[in-house]
Amino acid sequence: MAPRGRPKSFDRETALEQAMLVFWDRGFEATGVDELASTMGISTSSLYATFGGKEDLFLAALDHYQGDRGHYTKSAMEVGATAQDCFRKLFETSAIELTRTDQPRGCMLALALPTCSPEMEPLRTKMNERREVSLRRFVERLRRAKKEGEIDSSCDTSSLALFFLTTIQGMSIQARTGASREKLIEVGKLAMGVWPENHSSRNRPGRSR
C-alpha cells in the first residue's frame, strides 16, 4: 500500500519571493489565496500551514521585500559624506529601482495597500507603521545634519523629511503609471532644490569666499 501523501516540500524563500511579486503587482486585496498558492507552486493547505494565512503571508512577503529589493531607502541613509549626498543618492537610486524592468514598477510598501476596505484597517495600520520607520530615519539624518551645521538651524526637519518621503511615494505612483526613469531622476533633482544649506557657516570670519 502506498504511503499516505505528505505536503510537498518546497523552498520557503523561493515561494516567498513569488508571493512578494504577486502582492507587489496586484496589491493585497486583489490577490487571492488560490492565485498565490498556484504562483508559489504549493497547495493552499501548505500555504496556510507554512505562513498562517494571506495576511501573515503578505507581511512576510513585505519583510522579504524590505530586506532585499526595498533595502535601498535604508542604505541611502548610510552612505555619503553629507546628508545632502545621502538624499541626493536616495532620489537617484529610487528613480532607478522604481523603474526596473525585472520586477513590478513602483514601491511595494507604497502601492500594495494604499487604501482598503474597513475590515482591513488593522493591516493598513501595520503598513503605516512601516512607512513611519522610513520617515523617522529621514528625520534622524536631517537632525544630525542640523547638529553638525550642514543645514540651517531654522530648518523644520520633520516637515522636510515628510516632503522627501511624499516625493518618493509620488515617484512610486508615477513609475507604476509609466513615467520614465529620466523623468523621475529630474523630479528628484527638483526636490533637492529645497535643500536648506547653512549659508551662515559660509560667512563666518576667517572662511574664504
Side-chain angles (χ1 to χ4, degrees):
M1 181 176 177
R4 298 184 64 179
R6 297 174 55 191
K8 184 180 179 180
S9 61
F10 62 93
D11 183 83
R12 186 180 188 278
E13 288 303 304
T14 299
L16 197 56
E17 173 82 3
Q18 294 303 313
M20 176 196 73
L21 292 172
V22 176
F23 280 129
W24 189 352
D25 183 50
R26 296 177 178 268
F28 176 80
E29 291 194 292
T31 303
V33 173
D34 289 342
E35 179 185 12
L36 284 165
S38 176
T39 302
M40 296 164 73
I42 62 177
S43 65
T44 54
S45 59
S46 292
L47 186 154
Y48 283 110
T50 304
F51 298 101
K54 180 182 171 182
E55 182 175 329
D56 291 329
L57 173 59
F58 175 71
L59 293 174
L62 192 57
D63 286 338
H64 183 74
Y65 170 79
Q66 291 186 285
D68 184 22
R69 303 196 195 200
H71 187 69
Y72 63 90
T73 56
K74 180 180 179 181
S75 298
M77 294 297 98
E78 300 170 352
V79 300
T82 65
Q84 188 175 26
D85 290 337
C86 290
F87 283 98
R88 185 182 292 113
K89 182 66 174 178
L90 172 65
F91 283 116
E92 180 182 350
T93 304
S94 294
I96 293 170
E97 291 293 324
L98 296 175
T99 56
R100 282 173 53 174
T101 58
D102 61 338
Q103 63 186 29
R105 292 170 69 97
C107 169
M108 181 182 177
L109 183 60
L111 298 176
L113 194 69
T115 60
C116 64
S117 53
E119 60 268 24
M120 288 292 102
E121 190 60 35
L123 180 58
R124 189 169 73 158
T125 298
K126 293 178 182 178
M127 294 286 286
N128 288 338
E129 289 171 352
R130 289 172 182 249
R131 296 182 186 113
E132 283 291 324
V133 171
S134 294
L135 181 60
R136 289 197 299 271
R137 189 175 294 125
F138 291 1
V139 170
E140 289 170 2
R141 187 64 187 90
L142 290 169
R143 285 178 177 171
R144 175 181 155 194
K146 180 188 283 191
K147 183 178 180 180
E148 294 174 349
E150 181 187 346
I151 62 178
D152 194 83
S153 60
S154 64
C155 174
D156 183 341
T157 53
S158 296
S159 294
L160 183 58
L162 182 59
F163 169 71
F164 284 156
L165 181 61
T166 301
T167 301
I168 292 172
Q169 290 173 337
M171 288 169 62
S172 182
I173 294 172
Q174 290 299 315
R176 179 59 64 94
T177 58
S180 69
R181 178 171 296 176
E182 293 73 21
K183 287 291 186 182
L184 297 185
I185 287 175
E186 288 303 312
V187 169
K189 289 179 179 178
L190 287 171
M192 287 302 297
V194 306
W195 187 261
E197 293 187 23
N198 188 353
H199 297 289
S200 62
S201 65
R202 296 182 177 179
N203 299 322
R204 290 173 185 167
R207 287 181 64 97
S208 59
R209 298 183 179 234

